[in-house]
Amino acid sequence: MRNKNPYILGIIISAPFILWAILLILPTFDDWTTLSMPNYALDYQTYIFPLGMTWRPFDAIMGYVNAIDYHLYPTLNHVLIFMAHMGSTFVIYKLTEVLEFNKTSRNIATLFFYISPCTMGTILSCDALNQSYSHLWGILSVFLYLTINGKKKYIAWVVCTYMSVLSKDNGLAWAIVPPIMALTFDKIDKKTCRKELVFGFAIALSYCIVRFSLPYTYIKNGSYEEDVVSIHSRIKGLVNWISYTWFAADYISIVNKPNRNLYIGFLTILLSCAFMVKIWWNKTIWHHKQIWLLIAVLFIVASPHLLISMSIMNAYSSLGIAAIIIGYLCHKYQKNKPQLQTLFFLYLTAAIITNVHHWYMAWQTSLPSKSIAEEIVRKTEKPVNKVYCILIHDDMPKFSSFCVPTEEAIGWGISVWAVTAYKWPAEIKDTTLERTPEVQQEARKLAQRIKKKYDCVWIINKENVEVIK
């Protein structure tokens, strides 16, 4: 502010407007099953301790915080996620100062992280509380490692790593990142780095011992387990990660058929490619250890997701390191600085076009979660205990959390809880039928067969609601 830095001023001025837009988005898809959703269950241990394949006590605690007043969800989640993103943005700005990047490089790295379309899957999603804070604590561990001396440095490193991994499991990768980053920029020598890595692995091992010593609740997730062993899924995840991270492409305009606009899609690719080609097409950088170590760190931080499941939201986990790489490449670019800034503004143009489109689609796809839930409650007329929800598959092509079919927008019936103050129904069973010409009749026949076991049956066909009592 004192230096009237236009990049930082742009971030500060835009932040309230971005937050306002985010708050308009209602929960959809995984937002209805996240642990941070208002939780009124009394068996705290089930959620605070490992649940299924994950251990995310931060999410579980937020679930009980949101339960203090169910109106807090999803607003509080949105606010906290955006605060984490702003916190990471500030840390990256300060970290590039510690790494002695020039002013232009610092500004570009910071604004790249702040506005990259790679952030959209995180800052627009209520389910991304874990991812945003895992990144914040992780990138903060690097900053504190480089700026604190003595025992306090190790305390900060341990605390930040544990906070990161307790936010989301992939945060464990940050246990070994700080000394590698220090070695990359000659803050420590190789011998010291090896000793520090031993300490980092000890942090990771201690977490694993605690993690696997705790009682846990097994939950089968078939699709998740299939992704782990699928080579096709691993290759697809790698390609998605690279494209989401480096290009400000409007993927909705490219891959989502109902919203396809190839002119806009290819325009955003070209605008962002010009900047990326310019900074990466520098033969001299490949003769230095820094770029290779930075790429190694990038893969280390992203590795948990690359090994399991990589989505737009998951790509956020390594975006801070990607921003550091952008800053490093710009710092090493010794030619025409004004031209570099011009090309970056072209990237920003592509990013803004992409972000606005992704926000709009996320907002629109979330609206049925409330309107359909209200219609279900109106037609049900009175509180019920056990419900069977028959959903007829919406044939709208899905794209991440920005374009989701109706059954996912309403959380397979769970969105009703937000309308009933999470009081009823106590139990919701669901099934989804593929869309055929006779599917409505099939749904009614199924409802007639099972209605005696339930207080009522809901049949949801896009926005058409039928209640059979």
Side-chain angles (χ1 to χ4, degrees):
M1 289 291 288
R2 291 195 302 271
N3 298 325
K4 297 181 180 179
N5 185 323
Y7 289 82
I8 304 305
L9 281 174
I11 291 174
I12 294 172
I13 292 171
S14 66
F17 297 97
I18 293 174
L19 179 58
W20 170 80
I22 291 171
L23 293 178
L24 296 176
I25 297 176
L26 301 174
T28 64
F29 189 43
D30 283 349
D31 299 336
W32 291 116
T33 57
T34 176
L35 288 177
S36 64
M37 188 179 74
N39 188 353
Y40 295 91
L42 298 179
D43 51 337
Y44 303 98
Q45 177 175 304
T46 300
Y47 305 97
I48 300 296
F49 285 168
L51 183 65
M53 297 179 69
T54 64
W55 183 25
R56 299 171 187 174
F58 178 52
D59 268 4
I61 291 170
M62 281 306 304
Y64 288 104
V65 171
N66 282 324
I68 295 172
D69 182 350
Y70 72 93
H71 292 103
L72 293 173
Y73 187 79
T75 302
L76 182 57
N77 275 35
H78 279 315
V79 171
L80 290 175
I81 289 167
F82 190 66
M83 285 175 58
H85 181 61
M86 292 298 295
S88 291
T89 302
F90 175 76
V91 172
I92 287 167
Y93 182 73
K94 298 300 292 182
L95 185 54
T96 53
E97 181 181 30
V98 173
L99 299 178
E100 300 176 355
F101 291 175
N102 59 47
K103 185 177 179 181
T104 299
S105 302
R106 293 181 63 202
N107 288 335
I108 289 177
T110 304
L111 194 53
F112 170 83
F113 176 83
Y114 175 71
I115 206 166
S116 167
C118 190
T119 66
M120 289 292 99
T122 296
I123 67 173
L124 300 184
S125 174
C126 312
D127 183 35
L129 197 67
N130 45 61
Q131 187 65 76
S132 57
Y133 278 90
S134 180
H135 181 275
L136 174 59
W137 287 110
I139 201 72
L140 183 62
S141 71
V142 177
F143 174 73
L144 295 178
Y145 180 91
L146 295 174
T147 55
I148 299 177
N149 296 316
K151 293 181 180 179
K152 292 182 180 179
K153 176 178 74 173
Y154 296 98
I155 294 172
W157 182 8
V158 171
V159 170
C160 286
T161 300
Y162 282 157
M163 292 299 291
S164 177
V165 71
L166 292 177
S167 296
K168 191 172 184 179
D169 315 64
N170 65 277
L172 191 61
W174 293 99
I176 62 171
V177 168
I180 301 176
M181 288 291 288
L183 178 66
T184 301
F185 294 96
D186 298 318
K187 303 297 183 180
I188 59 175
D189 56 33
K190 291 182 179 179
K191 184 178 179 180
T192 303
C193 182
R194 285 194 293 268
K195 292 180 179 179
E196 301 286 70
L197 282 175
V198 171
F199 184 80
F201 280 112
I203 296 174
L205 180 61
S206 64
Y207 164 80
C208 291
I209 292 172
V210 173
R211 163 72 172 80
F212 293 106
S213 298
L214 292 173
Y216 69 94
T217 302
Y218 174 75
I219 297 178
K220 182 175 177 59
N221 188 331
S223 60
Y224 192 73
E225 293 170 2
E226 288 173 8
D227 281 345
V228 173
V229 298
S230 169
I231 296 177
H232 174 266
S233 179
R234 302 284 63 71
I235 296 173
K236 181 182 177 181
L238 178 63
V239 173
N240 287 343
W241 173 57
I242 293 172
S243 57
Y244 294 150
T245 300
W246 302 112
F247 302 107
D250 185 353
Y251 292 104
I252 292 178
S253 293
I254 298 172
V255 303
N256 191 249
K257 189 174 181 179
N259 300 287
R260 183 169 291 160
N261 187 327
L262 295 180
Y263 295 106
I264 297 296
F266 286 116
L267 174 64
T268 54
I269 290 176
L270 290 174
L271 289 175
S272 57
C273 270
F275 171 69
M276 289 299 170
V277 170
K278 178 62 69 173
I279 60 173
W280 282 98
W281 199 265
N282 182 352
K283 294 181 180 179
T284 61
I285 64 170
W286 303 105
H287 300 297
H288 301 285
K289 69 174 184 180
Q290 281 86 357
I291 189 63
W292 296 107
L293 286 173
L294 283 171
I295 291 173
V297 170
L298 186 73
F299 273 90
I300 289 171
V301 174
S303 61
H305 289 304
L306 289 172
L307 293 171
I308 299 176
S309 178
M310 178 61 73
S311 65
I312 296 180
M313 183 180 75
N314 295 336
Y316 184 88
S317 63
S318 58
L319 187 62
I321 300 300
I324 298 299
I325 292 176
I326 290 291
Y328 171 78
L329 294 174
C330 291
H331 180 72
K332 291 297 182 181
Y333 186 84
Q334 300 299 327
K335 298 178 182 179
N336 191 334
K337 292 289 185 180
Q339 182 190 60
L340 182 67
Q341 290 180 304
T342 299
L343 292 176
F344 182 63
F345 282 120
L346 293 179
Y347 173 90
L348 288 182
T349 301
I352 291 170
I353 293 171
T354 299
N355 290 349
V356 170
H357 191 197
H358 281 58
W359 165 80
Y360 178 78
M361 294 306 301
W363 174 45
Q364 289 295 301
T365 205
S366 75
L367 296 179
S369 69
K370 182 178 181 181
S371 60
I372 293 176
E374 290 175 338
E375 181 69 2
I376 292 172
V377 171
R378 186 184 70 81
K379 289 188 174 182
T380 304
E381 295 181 338
K382 64 180 181 180
V384 291
N385 187 45
K386 291 179 62 179
V387 169
Y388 197 89
C389 185
I390 302 173
L391 303 126
I392 297 173
H393 178 57
D394 185 350
D395 51 7
M396 182 191 78
K398 180 182 177 180
F399 179 71
S400 188
S401 58
F402 310 111
C403 306
V404 298
T406 304
E407 65 268 20
E408 294 186 8
I410 65 172
W412 306 274
I414 296 175
S415 63
V416 167
W417 285 345
V419 179
T420 65
Y422 294 84
K423 294 180 179 178
W424 64 270
E427 180 183 338
I428 303 176
K429 297 289 185 180
D430 69 274
T431 189
T432 302
L433 303 179
E434 289 300 320
R435 182 169 297 279
T436 64
E438 300 81 21
V439 69
Q440 192 72 32
Q441 290 76 17
E442 291 176 13
R444 287 172 181 156
K445 289 179 181 178
L446 175 60
Q448 291 298 327
R449 289 199 305 268
I450 63 175
K451 68 178 184 178
K452 291 183 179 180
K453 298 179 181 179
Y454 297 89
D455 297 325
C456 67
V457 179
W458 300 334
I459 301 177
I460 316 298
N461 186 353
K462 294 187 177 180
E463 298 202 13
N464 180 53
V465 175
E466 187 174 351
V467 176
I468 298 177
K469 301 178 183 178

